[in-house]
Amino acid sequence: IMLVSIDKLIFLSEGEMNFARNKFKNFSHKFFLLPFAIDRDIWKHSEIPKQGVLFVGNDGFRNFEMVHDIINSLPNVEFTVVSEFINENSLIHNNFKIYKGSWGHPAISDIELSKLYAQSLVTIIPLKNSLQPSGQSVALQSLSCGTPVIISLTDGFWDLKNLQDKKNIHFVSDESVQTWESIICKILNKKNPSYKKLSESGLKTIVEQYDLIKFSKNIESILV
């Protein structure tokens, strides 16, 4: 009923839009993709020393159990967590700092969160599989701050055209603690020659594809 009555339906995720096009082929001409945008005045790169691993998120498609397991499996790595759903009692080492907060009740401001991204070596986003583009804003914010991202490859991943494995992001398709641990350790290796390239490529992708000005032009072209 909704698809009959509306003129246009805008998706933030390529995965969701492709699912809708396959399921509702007669209405696919009404579907448009509008990638999420980042305010680079807030989420900006800065040349400051980087260390440790960052996890941010509260939505139900985050794999919090995996986050606990990852932190426990790497006792010599420092983790910073911004989430209400990571339980200190489930962590066995003293290698973490937790900021309890959510979108409606933030523990830190956007400016403070931007600094956490900028000073972290990598941001991890373990996810449960779904069509929802979970982790989208966190991944783009992190890349905009020059910090590489490791993220689960789900059915709802939003942009497989511009974000490519090992070029400007790291995908995890084998959801095991060992796989996460291996990729994290490779990125944290200070002798890793690809780190700078990965960071620069991620930031370049944000500038070229996820800027607010481009977002405004795209939505204007859809609505005309």
Side-chain angles (χ1 to χ4, degrees), residues 44 47 54-55 62 105 113 116 120 147 169 184 187 222:
K44 54 188 176 182
E47 294 291 345
L54 178 66
F55 170 79
R62 293 290 202 280
H105 301 88
L113 180 56
L116 289 182
S120 299
T147 299
I169 199 167
I184 290 170
I187 289 183
I222 292 173

Side-chain angles (χ1 to χ4, degrees), residues 65-177:
E65 182 178 349
M66 179 64 72
V67 176
H68 287 105
D69 291 342
I70 292 170
I71 295 174
N72 286 334
S73 73
L74 294 167
N76 296 320
V77 174
E78 291 297 320
F79 287 84
T80 301
V81 173
V82 183
S83 176
E84 289 188 329
F85 298 108
I86 299 303
N87 185 357
E88 295 183 28
N89 295 327
S90 298
L91 301 175
I92 59 179
H93 308 292
N94 188 27
N95 61 334
F96 60 89
K97 182 175 183 179
I98 299 178
Y99 297 88
K100 293 285 187 179
S102 62
W103 185 83
H105 301 88
I108 57 177
S109 68
D110 283 349
I111 298 300
E112 291 169 324
L113 180 56
S114 177
K115 291 179 180 178
L116 289 182
Y117 284 125
Q119 69 189 26
S120 299
L121 275 165
V122 65
T123 298
I124 60 170
I125 312 177
L127 301 170
K128 301 173 184 176
N129 192 37
S130 75
L131 276 173
Q132 179 179 315
S134 179
Q136 184 177 29
S137 59
V138 167
L140 299 181
Q141 288 164 4
S142 182
L143 294 176
S144 186
C145 293
T147 299
V149 169
I150 308 173
I151 186 171
S152 303
L153 182 58
T154 64
D155 292 339
F157 191 79
W158 57 92
D159 187 355
L160 289 171
K161 176 182 177 182
N162 294 304
L163 291 166
Q164 299 175 8
D165 189 32
K166 298 181 181 65
K167 177 182 177 182
N168 49 17
I169 199 167
H170 262 281
F171 289 131
V172 176
S173 53
D174 169 22
E175 284 295 311
S176 70
V177 178

Side-chain angles (χ1 to χ4, degrees), residues 10-22:
I10 297 174
F11 293 86
L12 293 177
S13 163
E14 185 180 40
E16 280 185 321
M17 187 179 72
N18 289 338
F19 176 83
R21 280 180 169 173
N22 289 329

